[in-house]
Amino acid sequence: MVMARRLASTREAYGKTLVELGHENPDIVVLDADLSKSTRTNLFAARFPQRFFDCGVAEQNMVGISAGLAASGKIVFASSFAVFATARCFDQLRVSVAQPRLNVKIVATHGGVTVGEDGFSHHAIEDLALACSLPGFAVVVPADAVETAEVIRAASVTPGPFYIRLSRPDTPVVCEDGYCFSLGKAASMRQGSDATIIANGLMVAEALDAAESLAGQGIECRVLNMSTLKPLDEEAIVLAARETGAIVTAEEHLRQGGLGSGVAQVVVQHDPVPMSFVALTDTYTHSGKPQELLRQHGLTADGIQSAIKSVLSRKG
Amino acid sequence: MVGGTELVKEAHAGSSGNLSASAVLSSAEALPSMAPQDTEIEDLQRMAKNLRRHVITMIAEAGSGHPGGSLSAVEIVTALFFRVLRHRPLEPGWPGRDRFILSKGHAAPLLYAALAECGYFDVAELTSLRKLGSPLQGHTDRTRTPGVEMSSGSLGQGLSFGIGTALAARLDSQSYRVYVLLGDGECDEGQVWEAAMAAPHFGLDNLVAIIDHNKQQIDGWNSEVMNTEPLAEKWRAFGWEVLEVDGHDIGQILAAFNHAEGVKGRPTAIIAHTIKGKGVSFMENNPDFHGMAPTREQAAKALEELA
Ligand SMILES: Cc1ncc(C[n+]2csc(CCOP(=O)(O)OP(=O)(O)O)c2C)c(N)n1
Ligand SMILES: [Mg+2]
């Protein structure tokens, strides 16, 4: 039986955490590019207008201004939608932020296809590949609103550039209150020895649902919340490969350059085991309701179950 | 003490710049009385020549680099580093320093020469330019070179960085000023105009953009590659205080910086009319020397001209 979970907004958690941080640390500054109502940086703007800068619809400029502020000692949070915060200003992220390792936290909302009806131009499906390719960037996809608050706090006290990807819709809460995020450490969500599902973002909830159904069929899956894509928790991956002998990854992103390829690199280097990837395959997407789109692309508990059965059939 | 306006007038009369006198005079109207003595100008001119020699020697030794856009900006950089900037070469991270941001990062040799002459590092280091392991990268790298504020080389990004730096000054109640040097070809980049729109919006009167208007970019004259004119009107329309100067006339340049310090509530753009390759006859207005090193013979001839 799959249980119903409480839904909560990762964006709202971000905005609220920013306000808390703003009270605690006068060096926190926040920028946005005409999307502050959507990214919820408007909560910070209302409280700390002198430390909030709306750059208008100009993401490249926003990233450059962020770099200048960070080079002058500020802890900078800059937000837009995930498509615009990466692809639109990739060279600016590369030259102005990543290479000099400046203290800029790009917090992008509207990640993945669950943006829904707005269609392909707004579906960020390459953003994690882009962000992960930048040397020195930490890349995090929180599983839910609880983890989001933790991740934002951690980023504020960890020097260097971050890319943090949040969702548009309210998403199922999978982390317990009091959950403690540790950068670069996977969180074990369920024990199991037949196979491991490694997921992040809203796919963690799907992974847990899949594991629950599979348990009913006598298949016990380990579930890891791999919220940190970079630096990747190699130890947890190697243990999963050794102890469960089969791995499925699940992400709301293209198959290339995200969680699946990152995990696969670790697995082939250390302990090759059968793997399967639940992800988008080399395609752009269409308008639709978030749940419809997830289903259309197999980004569901059912999709994960099929993938598990596939890896188990190949397991030695 | 020579009055600022007079200085500009005199200096202009003696210059070979392609600028109308009225533009200079109208822009220099409100100059404060402070103006450098002629002897100081002469010292600065000597330093300018010195920096030109460094640029030629460095690029020739490296076998690659960008002489044209380095030479056109020599007087601007000389005026800033040896007269205008409040900085501490032995304490490059001093929080109160004025910031110089080289947005047209290919003019790195010029910046390195100025930094070395100021004492940020040894002049002998200059010939390591572009060599493996050198702190002097082909384009600027803020993680490797003391005094370099920004990693650049991808055009169009410096003014945005400058805005961030100028905003930080305001948040921290610091009085430092921010100077950003851009190319005119660089002004083709959309990000420049995003920044041009933002700086007046934020009311940044501690920010000065200097456009090295040498009328050329890689593929030829701006007017043929991508027309930037009317450049001054564009900046003015975006809300900047705009001054036009002969960018090889140190007196005019200093007067413009002086004027900018008195402007309140908005940033200043200084359009510096310059000649690409200035100071070396066969490089002047020659787009071939945008990004080509002189041969050994050419370098010798250039150094002769700069003796
Ligand atoms: C984003 C970007 N595109 C292209 C280049 C290659 N490039 C280097 S210099 C240059 C021309 C620049 O012209 P301008 O700004 O007028 O420089 P200057 O004449 O002062 O040398 C170009 C296209 C670059 N460095 N960055
Ligand atoms: Mg030019």
Side-chain angles (χ1 to χ4, degrees), chain B residues 51-64:
Chain B
L51 295 188
R52 283 200 164 86
R53 282 196 296 268
H54 281 315
V55 164
I56 296 296
T57 309
M58 292 163 74
I59 297 178
E61 169 70 24
S64 67

Side-chain angles (χ1 to χ4, degrees), chain B residues 183-185 212 214-217 222 276:
Chain B
D184 48 8
D212 179 0
N214 56 26
K215 325 287 188 294
Q216 289 196 338
Q217 51 202 100
N222 300 157
K276 199 148 173 172

Side-chain angles (χ1 to χ4, degrees), chain A residues 61 74 91-92 96 99, chain B residues 151 154 157 160 172 191 194:
Chain A
N61 191 37
K74 300 298 166 197
D91 187 45
Q92 286 73 15
S96 289
Q99 190 273 350
Chain B
S151 296
S154 176
Q157 303 194 25
S160 305
D172 294 338
Q191 188 185 354
E194 294 181 1

Side-chain angles (χ1 to χ4, degrees), chain B residues 218-240:
Chain B
I218 293 187
D219 284 347
W221 295 95
N222 300 157
S223 56
E224 285 158 13
V225 180
M226 182 51 63
N227 184 26
T228 43
E229 299 300 338
L231 196 54
E233 278 175 48
K234 289 193 176 89
W235 288 90
R236 209 169 276 127
F238 276 70
W240 293 64

Side-chain angles (χ1 to χ4, degrees), chain A residues 91, chain B residues 66 68-70 72 104 106 139 153-156 182-187 189 212 214 216-218 222 276 290:
Chain A
D91 187 45
Chain B
H66 300 78
S70 291
S72 60
K104 40 172 266 184
H106 57 282
H139 294 78
S154 176
L155 292 166
L182 300 97
D184 48 8
E186 183 178 13
C187 291
E189 282 286 355
D212 179 0
N214 56 26
Q216 289 196 338
Q217 51 202 100
I218 293 187
N222 300 157
K276 199 148 173 172
H290 167 86

Side-chain angles (χ1 to χ4, degrees), chain B residues 23-211:
Chain B
V24 175
L25 291 180
S26 66
S27 64
E29 273 162 356
L31 287 180
S33 61
M34 192 195 89
Q37 301 291 345
D38 286 350
T39 50
E40 287 182 51
I41 300 265
E42 276 168 24
D43 286 345
L44 291 170
Q45 284 164 341
R46 258 192 299 278
M47 180 54 77
K49 201 180 247 188
N50 192 16
L51 295 188
R52 283 200 164 86
R53 282 196 296 268
H54 281 315
V55 164
I56 296 296
T57 309
M58 292 163 74
I59 297 178
E61 169 70 24
S64 67
H66 300 78
S70 291
L71 293 173
S72 60
V74 165
E75 279 77 13
I76 299 162
V77 166
T78 303
L80 281 167
F81 275 88
F82 298 94
R83 178 65 205 263
V84 176
L85 297 181
R86 292 164 295 172
H87 60 141
R88 297 178 182 167
L90 297 180
E91 196 190 341
W94 174 44
R97 73 194 181 279
D98 289 335
R99 269 59 161 182
F100 173 73
I101 293 159
L102 182 66
S103 190
K104 40 172 266 184
H106 57 282
L110 170 60
L111 174 57
Y112 299 154
L115 290 171
E117 284 292 346
C118 286
Y120 282 85
F121 47 83
D122 200 329
V123 170
E125 190 71 73
L126 290 176
T127 45
S128 75
L129 174 72
R130 290 181 166 243
K131 291 183 181 152
L132 189 64
S134 169
L136 308 182
Q137 297 289 294
H139 294 78
T140 59
D141 178 345
R142 73 172 249 124
T143 68
R144 295 183 71 106
T145 318
V148 165
E149 298 286 351
M150 183 192 177
S151 296
S152 65
S154 176
L155 292 166
Q157 303 194 25
L159 193 53
S160 305
F161 191 98
I163 291 174
T165 314
L167 285 172
R170 185 151 84 196
L171 288 171
D172 294 338
S173 307
Q174 291 263 356
S175 64
Y176 66 77
R177 296 176 61 74
V178 182
Y179 298 88
V180 183
L181 179 61
L182 300 97
D184 48 8
E186 183 178 13
C187 291
D188 296 352
E189 282 286 355
Q191 188 185 354
V192 169
W193 300 101
E194 294 181 1
M197 199 180 297
H201 176 79
F202 294 133
L204 294 174
D205 51 23
N206 53 352
L207 177 68
V208 178
I210 309 111
I211 296 100

